[in-house]
């Protein structure tokens, strides 16, 4: 009985109003959620930070959670307890999630058992927190929406962040020719160590010419685009015939000439992991778990923050120059 009393509250980040990073409030008296049927309670060791979480927090995103809420979906930790009908997991299992029900920026999080996956011993919790959204999104962009095939070329625009590095590793493992861009020397080195055949600095004014020189007149088959409001117009010039731009990230509007798509019968395709069907999610999970097993899926962890510094993390993921892996909160 004493145990239950001590474990009934936890530290968690709460958002009571939409706005800037300052609306993220760390509270120490939040009730620990209880898993219902087909749910598990996870003691969180690390939680990934994704750009989309900053858009949701600001209130400008299509999806608005009911206030107050706790952000965060990519957690890694240990199963604390399981709800009814859960047979796949037991207390003490190491796991990572694709999404949570109660929010991941917290000491404990409840998740649906079918959104939770075993975390192999070869990966630590920080790496576990870098798998969910980045790798599932990258796989969806490349294969489920981009129809990538071995032998094709892919340009990962903004390749040194979480989704970008995931896309480089997956594309390389699946036989594509991988080109990546980053904003710093360090970022370019990280990309080359994680599957890219060639890296380009997107701060270099002539970098698109360098990419064209590398791909030749044929152009690039697929572009994975993290910042389409800046790059989409230029992307259309880089594509091959029937090439496709996969819009993974966007922070505003951009003007393009639709004629650029006609001359090559190219496509601009939006990607949202949120819209994946159960079957598609299962396919992503299978590919990801196979990649961990085979050893080519190795999440790169970038900046790490304690829960107290969550507002700084939200600021940095949008404003800092040059990502180097996935940003995580450590608990």
């Amino acid at each position: 009985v004493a145990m239950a009393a001590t474990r009934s509250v936890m530290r968690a980040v709460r958002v009571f109003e939409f706005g800037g990073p300052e609306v993220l409030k760390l509270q120490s008296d939040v009730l620990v959620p209880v898993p219902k049927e087909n749910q598990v309670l996870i003691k969180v060791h690390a939680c990934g930070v994704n750009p989309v979480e900053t858009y949701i927090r600001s209130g400008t995103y299509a999806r608005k959670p009911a206030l107050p809420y706790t952000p965060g979906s990519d957690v890694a930790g240990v199963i604390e307890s399981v709800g009814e009908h859960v047979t796949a997991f037991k207390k003490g299992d190491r796991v990572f999630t694709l999404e949570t029900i109660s929010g991941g920026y917290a000491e404990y999080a409840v998740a649906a058992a079918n959104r939770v996956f075993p975390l192999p011993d070869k990966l630590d919790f920080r790496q576990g927190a870098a798998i969910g959204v980045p790798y599932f999104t990258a796989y969806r962009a490349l294969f489920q929406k981009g129809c990538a095939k071995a032998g094709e070329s892919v340009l990962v625009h903004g390749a040194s962040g979480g989704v970008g590095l995931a896309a480089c590793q997956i594309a390389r493992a699946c036989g594509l020719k991988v080109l990546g861009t980053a904003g710093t020397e360090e970022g370019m080195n990280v990309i080359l160590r994680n599957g890219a055949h060639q890296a380009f600095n997107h701060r270099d004014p002539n970098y698109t010419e360098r990419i064209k020189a590398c791909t030749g007149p044929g152009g690039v088959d697929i572009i994975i685009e993290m910042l389409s409001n800046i790059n989409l117009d230029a992307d259309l010039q880089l594509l091959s015939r029937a090439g496709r731009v996969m819009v993974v990230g966007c922070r505003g509007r951009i003007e393009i000439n639709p004629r650029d798509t006609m001359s090559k019968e190219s496509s601009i395709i939006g990607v949202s992991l949120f819209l994946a069907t159960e079957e598609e999610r299962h396919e992503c999970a299978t590919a990801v778990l196979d990649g961990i097993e085979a050893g080519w899926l190795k999440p790169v962890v970038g900046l790490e923050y304690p829960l107290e510094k969550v507002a700084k993390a939200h600021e940095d993921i949008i404003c800092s120059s040059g990502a180097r892996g996935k940003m995580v909160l450590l608990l």
Side-chain angles (χ1 to χ4, degrees):
V1 177
M3 256 303 282
T6 55
R7 229 198 63 217
S8 55
V9 295
M10 64 175 180
R11 293 190 313 143
V13 174
R14 303 290 280 161
V15 174
F16 293 92
E17 59 179 327
F18 296 112
E22 70 283 352
V23 302
L24 297 161
K25 306 287 183 204
L26 179 58
Q27 301 196 299
S28 52
D29 57 355
V30 178
L31 287 174
V32 173
V34 176
K36 301 190 174 85
E37 61 177 357
N38 300 314
Q39 296 178 352
V40 298
L41 178 68
I42 300 166
K43 184 175 192 335
V44 179
H45 286 256
C47 180
V49 180
N50 295 294
V52 69
E53 288 147 24
T54 70
Y55 312 152
I56 293 170
R57 181 215 70 226
S58 70
T60 58
Y61 196 64
R63 237 162 66 230
K64 274 197 183 69
L67 296 167
Y69 77 99
T70 295
S73 57
D74 291 333
V75 310
V78 174
I79 298 281
E80 180 70 24
S81 62
V82 301
E84 278 188 274
H85 311 309
V86 175
T87 53
F89 300 103
K90 61 183 188 307
K91 184 175 164 68
D93 287 349
R94 286 164 44 97
V95 293
F96 71 93
T97 64
L98 180 58
E99 58 190 72
T100 68
I101 292 162
S102 59
Y105 297 5
E107 291 178 321
Y108 293 89
V110 160
N114 65 355
R115 299 284 190 279
V116 176
F117 307 95
L119 180 65
D121 290 336
K122 63 170 95 166
L123 299 180
D124 63 28
F125 291 118
R126 293 155 47 252
Q127 290 173 303
I131 300 171
V133 169
Y135 283 87
F136 281 60
T137 300
Y139 183 86
R140 181 168 181 75
L142 281 162
F143 298 104
Q144 292 178 341
K145 295 290 156 190
C147 303
K149 293 183 179 58
E152 286 191 312
S153 57
V154 60
L155 169 65
V156 184
H157 224 155
S160 59
V163 179
L165 287 167
C168 288
Q169 289 179 2
I170 295 171
R172 180 67 181 250
C174 295
L176 282 91
K177 180 181 180 184
V178 185
L179 313 176
T181 76
T184 62
E185 195 66 39
E186 194 181 353
M188 288 165 68
N189 289 331
V190 169
I191 298 171
L192 290 169
R193 284 200 301 274
N194 285 279
H197 292 88
Q198 279 185 280
F200 303 87
N201 188 330
H202 52 62
R203 293 180 202 281
D204 169 357
N206 299 319
Y207 86 97
T208 52
E209 294 310 312
R210 298 201 165 148
I211 293 171
K212 282 179 185 165
C214 175
T215 59
V220 66
D221 298 307
I222 302 170
I223 297 177
I224 307 289
E225 185 50 75
M226 312 303 165
L227 203 57
S228 43
N229 53 300
I230 302 293
N231 300 322
L232 189 57
D233 188 47
D235 288 343
L236 295 176
Q237 322 296 322
L238 293 172
L239 285 177
S240 65
R241 189 170 167 185
R244 45 262 186 227
V245 181
M246 313 310 301
V247 177
V248 171
C250 184
R251 297 182 188 173
R253 304 176 73 86
I254 185 171
E255 192 173 306
I256 62 164
N257 184 349
R259 185 173 286 147
D260 292 337
T261 64
M262 294 161 64
S263 57
K264 295 172 180 170
E265 291 193 328
S266 56
S267 320
I268 300 166
I269 302 168
V271 179
S272 171
L273 185 57
F274 186 63
L275 296 176
T277 63
E278 200 56 58
E279 200 181 350
E280 286 171 329
R281 258 193 302 265
H282 181 70
E283 185 195 338
C284 289
T286 305
V288 164
L289 293 169
D290 284 353
I292 297 172
E293 184 63 32
W296 57 257
L297 194 158
K298 286 200 193 76
V300 179
V301 177
L303 296 168
E304 302 172 9
Y305 298 79
L307 212 46
E308 296 75 33
K309 294 269 172 36
V310 63
K312 179 86 173 92
H314 267 223
E315 206 175 300
D316 290 352
I317 200 167
I318 295 302
C319 303
S320 77
S321 58
R324 296 177 306 284
K326 169 80 176 210
M327 185 181 281
V328 296
L329 298 172
L330 297 181
L331 285 95

